Amino acid sequence: MTISSMRTVLSLLVAGAALAGCGSSPPVHYYTLQGPAAPASAAAAPAAFLIEVQPVSLSTQADQPQLMVRTGDGSVSALYSERWSSPLGDELRGALSDALKRELGALDVQMVKPGPGAAVWRVQTDVQRFELVSGSMAQLDATWRVRPVNMKGTGLICRSVVTENVSEAGVPALIAAQQRAVVSLAGAMASAMRGQTPAGSGSVQMLGCSALKD
């Protein structure tokens, strides 16, 4: 075999090995926190105000493109083949906006530009903990503020811990549980906008609310 032929064979072997390596990589799955759209009949009557769901802040540990899942021994695993479809802060903001729109029948100012003096409820969310615990639960611990703009109402700052149990193994069950947690958090926010004191429930623990000063 000539040197030229040997080089050709080696090149083909290297290329084949590279292709084999690529073929063995697990497929990447993408997930969102925005749940399925609710039926039209379940939507609330149109509200007389808009909502402004501002960007959500969260810890650097949670704000990763891949899912960070806690295991039973307390360690955290990065699932590089299981990823969010957009940055996690954007996922949370979008999911909260969708849930509030369904709950209140209000549009987000990101969809409709408010006119001068338009009535708006402004929503700010600071997530302290965003947990996915394998085979156990999904948890969302957040401090949030709702404040009326150009309208009557009392602004509140509250802290809520939402825990949704998971009875099935696997990532899809964890994602579904975290989707439910976001909807439950939005329900507490909506209660505050209606002038009610947000109350706890089976999955929502309220750790206190205070009126916001003007």
Side-chain angles (χ1 to χ4, degrees):
M1 182 180 292
T2 65
I3 293 177
S4 177
S5 298
M6 291 178 64
R7 287 176 176 171
T8 300
V9 171
L10 286 172
S11 296
L12 290 172
L13 288 173
V14 170
L19 289 173
C22 293
S24 63
S25 299
V28 177
H29 302 107
Y30 292 92
Y31 299 92
T32 180
L33 287 175
Q34 299 184 43
S41 58
F49 54 83
L50 301 171
I51 57 172
E52 180 187 347
V53 182
Q54 297 192 329
V56 175
S57 66
L58 66 164
S59 68
T60 302
Q61 181 184 17
D63 192 12
Q64 302 294 328
Q66 65 275 357
L67 269 62
M68 306 297 291
V69 176
R70 190 177 296 276
T71 57
D73 61 3
S75 62
V76 178
S77 298
L79 306 185
Y80 290 100
S81 296
E82 315 293 332
R83 294 174 173 264
W84 297 111
S85 61
S86 60
L88 185 53
D90 293 347
E91 285 289 329
L92 283 164
R93 200 215 73 82
L96 281 171
S97 176
D98 279 358
L100 286 169
K101 284 184 289 187
R102 290 198 299 267
E103 183 80 20
L104 297 167
L107 294 177
D108 196 316
V109 297
Q110 286 208 346
M111 298 177 58
V112 178
K113 184 177 180 180
V120 176
W121 274 100
R122 182 172 295 149
V123 181
Q124 296 172 286
T125 312
D126 182 5
V127 175
Q128 277 81 48
R129 294 178 68 88
F130 181 93
E131 297 281 2
L132 298 170
V133 185
S134 181
S136 176
M137 67 173 184
Q139 190 174 76
L140 188 59
D141 181 348
T143 299
W144 49 272
R145 300 166 180 81
V146 292
R147 183 189 296 274
V149 180
N150 298 325
M151 62 184 299
K152 292 182 179 180
T154 301
L156 287 179
I157 176 171
C158 304
R159 184 179 175 192
S160 303
V161 178
V162 187
T163 305
E164 291 286 348
N165 294 328
V166 175
S167 58
E168 300 177 13
V171 170
L174 286 174
I175 298 300
Q178 197 61 268
Q179 289 175 344
R180 296 194 301 272
V182 173
V183 171
S184 295
L185 179 61
M189 294 173 172
S191 294
M193 295 181 205
R194 294 189 183 106
Q196 304 164 351
T197 301
S201 64
S203 61
V204 181
Q205 181 184 10
M206 295 300 301
L207 299 183
C209 289
S210 300
L212 288 173
K213 297 180 180 180
D214 294 334

